[in-house]
Amino acid sequence: MASASTRFGSPTAPAPALPALAPQGGRPEAAAATWSWRPEVAVQAASRTRLRFALRGGVGGGGGAILWQLGWLHAGSVALVLGVSVMLAAAALPARWLRRADDALPGLGRAASHVVAWPLLFVMFWSVFVPFGLLLRRGRRDPLCRSFDATAPTYWQRPTRPSDPTRPF
Amino acid sequence: MARVLGISALYHDAAAALVEDGVIVAAAQEERFTRTKHDAALPRQALRYCLAEAAGGGGLDAIAFYDKPILKFHRILETAFAVAPRGFGAFARGVPTWLRDKLWVEPDLRAMLAAEGVPAGVPMYFPAHHASHAASAFYPSPFERAAVLTLDGVGEWATASIGVGEGNRVTLREQLEFPHSLGLLYSAFTAFAGFRVGSGEYKLMGLAPYGTPTYAARIRDHLLDLKPDGSFRLNLSYFGYLDDQQMTNARFAALFDGPPRAPEGPLTRRELDLACSIQQVTEDIVLAMARHARAETGMRHLCLAGGVALNCVANGKLLRAGIFDDVWIQPAAGDAGGALGAALAVCHEVLNHPRAVDGRTDSMQGALLGPAFGADSIRAYLDANALPYHEVPDAEWPATVARLIAAGAIVGLFQGRMEFGPRALGNRSIVGDPRSPTMQSVLNQKIKFRESFRPFAPAVLAERAADWFDLDRPSPYMLLVAQLGARHCLADAGDERSLDVVQWVNRVRSTVPAVTHVDRSARVQTVHAETNPRFHALLRAFESQTGCPLLVNTSFNVRGEPIVGTPSDAYRCFMCTGIDALALGPFLLTKAAQPPWVEAGDRRGTLALD
């Protein structure tokens, strides 16, 4: 479907004059807000990345120094070394390496949470889901309505779940 | 003014859309900015773009997220209960992701929006997934009232729904629920045929004409219980998606003569026949559902959305069946369109804004709803990088580009606003001469780096479409398949099924072989001067030079990458592929004149599977 003014299917219709080739709307400033090709943008982004890493290193190193002062010598020295290393890396490494490290951090976090979550989920699954699931099955309640019903005239059903758009449930 | 920002994210195809007083101002998929295909992350850059398009500044009145995340999580938990003690793997993989990323949408979105300057007090709404699809189908349609049919993999619970749109309300009346899903059934065959779920469905559809429906009866007899009204249940004992991360299981493989095809493995007769069979079953179900929708609602018009509505072969058959007087399909029918639907639903149904409709014209503006780059910014980019170009005056642009195409060049077109939805409609397109017998294989292998069986779509002047195709209505969004007119087809070459697929596809069977599929069908895009004057003018110029009002139109990207979003993306794709010339706004760049590109060369080894 498009415009009804289109001379659709009428090959004998006179050809219109070529239209003016003006931009078709969309504000160039809006497009520019999402396009950062200019070298100075890349330089600014690199500076921000370095600053972010330096701050992280500073916080880590500072925390290490405090721990050291409090007498936690091992933990303090590890944190101090790590913090100083991150600060040195922020100053010396190419920005793209830092960005890659930035990108990898959430992945490491996810992997760590996966390792921690797996045993917890295992316990939860076998202590809650399996017994209750089996009870449901004993009671012949199938929330997924998996069986065929040859006698039903239709499988269409009225929407019964909440539809209030103010709620995420 | 009612200004609503719509957002879809966290499953696939994240997107943002901005609606003002019911008018669509902007819409874009996140993948175009991040360059990660089907990017599902919260769409930070897409929403930044949409907010930048807001006219005259001012704030948002509402934010709309396209589904109800907690209800979705409820489905995950119910499924775990239902299949226990099986399904621990799926449970352990799925639940942490949900708890970490998907369940707390509101605070995550608010934090992202706060960084863009959106105040915390703007109300946030959560229309249901299929309500968002239904809104995306009905509100932009040209109909005052219509039946609405939505079909996809799964939302919260619904997998298909039938409703009625009238004025500024859409009411969903009936639905099918998970795990019984036409989208998941099609995806199961997609995975079994060795393609990626979520993007390989197009490939399966493209393969269907090569096969015969030898498995259709087996699918009907074993995999589903189909009622006459199109409702059905799946026999879950053949599928793996409830208790595993696989779509199908060993029983499914035994039913269909062996294990699944390995990704990138050789295509055998079995895959071709499976594609044809599931396509036929899908079409039968869609037609039955449409007949039921017509009977239940009494409406003369139908609006379609949801991922299954991107099956343009089924759409074409639905139109030709004449069940409804007319059918309108949301061009961004998948989850990206949910962002638009959610925004429209909140604008009309929550903020009670009236809907304006003229009964003739849809309000999608040709689906050209994304960023448009001005000539000044493109020139600045080209000059800063010392890239050779010449500026073509507007009056000469169509004839100049048409001459290149007529001479056999493959041209990248980058102009105007970026398309919203999966199709490139002339503004981020690669175009070529459809009369060339080698164009299809050249485009597939040297430009797109993809499988040789995949057909290309024709863009045709709207006013010439009826001369070329068996099509009695516009198809501006490339969502309808139609047969090529008999006078453009060459004599039948006999049974070609014994041929190798590559030989088969390269047979010349029409005067426009590059856009003619093996069954002489084509996925047609009618080009209208009203919505895309520049592309229309190019087609006019090509017709005046060659007598052919068609061009091959394929998306401006390579396999595994999203369609290009910016001039720099376009230039990179131009330089990394066999594209001969790039029309970047008013600037024309030829490959021979460009300096060497560091990434130049064969990229096939680095491309992600799609």
Side-chain angles (χ1 to χ4, degrees), chain B residues 237-472:
Chain B
S237 65
Y238 288 96
F239 298 90
Y241 58 81
L242 286 183
D243 54 11
D244 199 355
Q245 297 277 301
Q246 306 294 320
M247 291 300 293
T248 60
N249 60 21
R251 202 164 171 223
F252 188 98
L255 183 64
F256 294 109
D257 304 336
R261 169 182 172 255
E264 302 296 293
L267 279 169
T268 66
R269 167 62 48 194
R270 181 187 70 152
E271 281 77 51
L272 308 184
D273 291 344
L274 279 171
C276 184
S277 303
I278 188 60
Q279 180 64 30
Q280 188 185 79
V281 172
T282 300
E283 289 162 10
D284 291 348
I285 293 174
V286 170
L287 290 180
M289 285 180 168
R291 281 190 204 97
H292 176 65
R294 170 84 203 224
E296 278 296 302
T297 65
M299 295 286 164
R300 292 169 40 232
H301 298 124
L302 176 68
C303 300
L304 269 180
V308 178
L310 292 170
N311 190 315
C312 44
V313 181
N315 295 343
K317 293 201 172 156
L318 176 59
L319 262 174
R320 285 189 290 280
I323 300 164
F324 287 91
D325 293 0
D326 206 351
V327 178
W328 190 84
I329 305 149
Q330 164 57 240
D335 277 6
L340 178 60
L344 288 166
V346 168
C347 182
H348 293 299
E349 296 167 23
V350 177
L351 304 180
N352 211 25
H353 199 278
R355 172 177 179 246
V357 59
D358 66 6
R360 299 178 306 169
T361 314
D362 74 46
S363 62
M364 285 299 290
Q365 304 156 52
L368 305 176
L369 299 165
F373 295 86
D376 289 344
S377 62
I378 297 174
R379 191 199 312 272
Y381 165 72
L382 295 173
D383 288 342
N385 290 285
L387 304 176
Y389 64 89
H390 72 273
E391 186 169 0
V392 184
D394 279 355
E396 296 170 21
W397 186 88
T400 306
V401 178
R403 245 191 318 276
L404 283 171
I405 299 169
I410 294 167
V411 178
L413 284 184
F414 185 100
Q415 54 193 0
R417 299 189 73 175
M418 184 175 74
E419 297 88 344
F420 181 53
R423 299 277 170 258
L425 300 170
N427 282 8
R428 304 287 186 277
S429 288
I430 297 169
V431 293
D433 186 344
R435 301 167 304 157
S436 163
T438 57
M439 183 59 67
Q440 174 157 324
S441 60
V442 169
L443 275 172
N444 267 328
Q445 289 165 23
K446 294 188 178 170
I447 311 282
K448 307 283 283 190
F449 307 128
R450 69 184 199 185
E451 301 91 333
S452 54
F453 66 82
R454 297 175 67 181
F456 288 100
V460 58
L461 285 172
E463 56 270 34
R464 302 280 185 267
D467 292 348
W468 282 79
F469 299 98
D470 181 16
L471 185 69
D472 64 354

Side-chain angles (χ1 to χ4, degrees), chain B residues 90-110:
Chain B
F91 176 82
R93 273 185 290 267
V95 169
T97 309
W98 267 93
L99 291 176
R100 191 181 50 238
D101 299 328
K102 298 187 178 180
L103 207 49
W104 321 109
V105 170
E106 181 161 1
D108 289 351
L109 260 181
R110 291 230 180 254

